[in-house]
Amino acid sequence: MNATPTHEIVVLGAGYTGMMATARLAHRTHRLPVHLTLVNPSERFTERLRSHQIAAGQQLADLRIPELLAGTGVDFHRARATAIDTAAHRVTLDDGAVLPYDTLVYALGSITDTARVPGAAEHAWTLNSPQLAHEFADRLAATGGAVTVVGAGLTGIEVATEIADSHPGVTVTMIGTGEPGAMMGAKARAHLTRALDRFGIARRVGVRVAKVLPEAVELDTGEVLHSDLTLWTAGVRVPELAAAAGIDTDDQGAVITDPTLRSVSHPDVYAVGDAAAVSQPWGRIHGTCQSGMPTGAYVADTIARRLRGKAVRPFRFGYIHQPVSLGRRDGVIQFTRGDDTPGPWYLTGRAAVLYKEFVSSSPWPSFRLSRRANMPVKFSAGARAAARATKAA
């Protein structure tokens, strides 16, 4: 009698979503004829939630992916995917290897988009990799002077306050089209504003950067601001691998998914995290670790259920918070409704610092536990609240 053929699952990307999907898949499929391969260009896990700390010159823990996967049966392949052949069901890597797949999990995440503004790619720094963040920190320590943070979102806020806290002699300016913390409630936003004032962070609101120069930024008003170091945190883009393979993507390159996070054009491809265009009844999910890890867990469970011939339910998600660090000794946590609009509750000060540290440090233990148990990472209460709000609208 012929043995049951092995089902090949390849996961591209070992960020928060790829690691969650891999660890959970290893647990959910260990009794099935499945071979699981995780592809990532680095053995070290990147804590993107702490990129602002690296940029300010702090050292993070050395978390190694192969060590976490030891004993799970997962093959870790250190390489970068360069092409997907959807007809032949295989992925080509930059080391010359070609991996066949029956199921592909696309978890390549996103990076800061510097392509839309002249000079940004050449003269602005990003936090797109730990190496770039470390190099920025070295330049900051050596140069000091004036730092311009382009983008007033949560990443921009965290890196601006971290730099101002760690380097009090540096002048920090934030540039954004909206007020920092505009997504928060009035009280949480007021605390954030007081923190920015305390650090002496200047804000230019309601303007855009039209051009980045070697030691300056030019605004769309024509004004030119001196900048020894410019750090770009505005806008994101997804790797072009899926679009180049003929997989249906949106205008940002994210894979368009069905309610079970499969590609609408290629059902053997699942997309998670920032690389996926995921819609909910209340709107589209925006890329965060908070939403990304549940997509990774859901896809792992869904693949395992389908391999067993079981029915699956659509993915449902709702947000619960907007956690923001304000240097090492302050923070603000805005608790939200499921659709990410601000609720009445928030935390500040030491309580917010402890809460944010718990959030930032929780993924790695979650991956470790997911190898042996089904960790409850779906924010089902938030999803139910979001659904109620949608029906009431």
Side-chain angles (χ1 to χ4, degrees), residues 13-372:
Y16 291 109
T17 58
M19 283 298 296
M20 175 56 74
T22 301
R24 198 164 175 116
L25 270 167
H27 171 66
R28 294 298 303 269
T29 65
H30 72 282
R31 294 182 180 178
L32 297 174
V34 166
H35 179 241
L36 182 59
T37 304
L38 173 63
V39 178
N40 198 62
S42 173
E43 291 186 353
R44 183 171 180 174
F45 177 69
T46 300
E47 294 186 274
R48 290 192 65 177
L49 290 175
R50 299 186 186 274
S51 294
H52 57 285
Q53 295 178 240
I54 301 175
Q58 299 165 32
Q59 297 295 321
L60 304 185
D62 186 9
L63 305 176
R64 294 286 165 172
I65 297 169
E67 293 178 6
L68 182 133
L69 296 176
T72 64
V74 176
D75 279 342
F76 176 75
H77 196 124
R78 182 178 178 179
R80 187 183 304 276
T82 58
I84 301 170
D85 186 335
T86 56
H89 291 78
R90 62 190 183 188
V91 179
T92 302
L93 309 181
D94 61 0
D95 62 358
V98 177
L99 302 180
Y101 70 84
D102 296 297
T103 297
L104 181 68
V105 180
Y106 192 78
L108 291 181
S110 65
I111 58 175
T112 303
D113 187 2
T114 57
R116 299 185 180 184
V117 175
E122 295 81 8
H123 305 303
W125 294 84
T126 70
L127 303 179
N128 283 340
S129 72
Q131 180 181 353
L132 284 173
H134 280 298
E135 291 175 0
F136 175 86
D138 291 342
R139 286 288 302 275
L140 176 63
T143 305
V147 174
T148 301
V149 177
V150 181
L154 301 188
T155 300
I157 293 167
E158 290 198 322
V159 73
T161 54
E162 200 74 51
I163 290 171
D165 191 13
S166 300
H167 301 271
V170 170
T171 300
V172 181
T173 300
M174 292 183 66
I175 299 176
T177 56
E179 288 282 352
M183 74 295 294
M184 295 182 170
K187 293 181 179 179
R189 188 168 62 251
H191 180 85
L192 188 154
T193 300
R194 288 192 294 271
L196 296 177
D197 291 340
R198 184 175 69 251
F199 284 125
I201 297 173
R203 280 93 75 191
R204 301 299 300 269
V205 178
V207 296
R208 296 179 184 273
V209 173
K211 189 175 184 180
V212 181
L213 304 170
E215 294 184 355
V217 295
E218 181 180 328
L219 305 182
D220 57 2
T221 60
E223 184 179 4
V224 177
L225 304 178
H226 172 72
S227 178
D228 294 298
L229 293 171
T230 300
L231 184 60
W232 200 274
T233 69
V236 298
R237 61 184 175 88
V238 176
E240 299 176 354
L241 204 62
I247 299 170
D248 285 0
T249 60
D250 65 7
D251 55 2
Q252 291 182 320
V255 175
I256 300 174
T257 61
D258 71 8
T260 64
L261 305 193
R262 290 193 300 189
S263 161
V264 294
S265 61
H266 295 76
D268 51 358
V269 177
Y270 290 79
V272 295
D274 293 4
V278 181
S279 296
Q280 295 291 279
W282 45 265
R284 176 172 167 171
I285 291 175
H286 59 83
T288 65
C289 176
Q290 180 184 177
S291 58
M293 286 179 60
T295 64
Y298 170 86
V299 160
D301 294 351
T302 296
I303 292 172
R305 289 186 65 84
R306 283 187 164 133
L307 288 175
R308 290 184 169 91
K310 295 183 178 181
V312 299
R313 295 180 179 179
F315 176 73
R316 289 290 177 263
F317 171 81
Y319 290 94
I320 61 170
H321 59 197
Q322 297 162 352
V324 185
S325 62
L326 303 171
R328 291 295 86 202
R329 296 175 293 276
D330 195 7
V332 57
I333 314 297
Q334 173 67 68
F335 294 100
T336 70
R337 301 177 181 89
D339 61 0
D340 207 32
T341 56
W345 304 104
Y346 66 99
L347 290 176
T348 61
R350 181 62 177 168
V353 171
L354 294 173
Y355 187 101
K356 180 60 163 61
E357 177 58 28
F358 172 78
V359 170
S360 297
S361 61
S362 62
W364 193 254
S366 296
F367 303 151
R368 194 175 295 278
L369 288 172
S370 292
R371 299 176 308 170
R372 300 181 176 87

